[in-house]
Amino acid sequence: MIKLISLALQAFGIRSAKQKEETQRVIDYIDTCLEHMENIMGYKKDVNEASVEQSRKFL
């Protein structure tokens, strides 16, 4: 039954759109983590202490 529903959703493109959205969300999260890591490691210029502390809390 579940396979039949899954097949029907794939036929209409709904499932693939949802999978793309979930994948994009994961990619955005990874990008955010990398930005915070750059703040902590000091790779970015003109980073203040509050920004570094916020990045530490995020990670």
Side-chain angles (χ1 to χ4, degrees):
M1 181 67 177
I2 293 176
K3 262 194 167 183
L4 181 63
I5 294 172
S6 177
L7 205 60
L9 288 175
Q10 257 183 344
F12 291 111
I14 295 171
R15 184 177 174 110
S16 63
K18 186 174 182 178
Q19 287 174 338
K20 288 178 185 176
E21 181 183 333
E22 289 174 358
T23 302
Q24 186 60 44
R25 211 179 299 154
V26 169
I27 291 170
D28 290 343
Y29 180 74
I30 291 170
D31 286 343
T32 303
C33 288
L34 288 174
E35 287 178 21
H36 285 293
M37 188 225 30
E38 288 175 354
N39 278 345
I40 292 171
M41 298 299 289
Y43 294 138
K44 288 187 175 180
K45 298 190 187 269
D46 301 326
V47 178
N48 59 23
E49 189 64 31
S51 176
V52 171
E53 188 61 31
Q54 182 182 4
S55 291
R56 285 187 179 131
K57 287 179 182 178
F58 179 83
L59 294 176

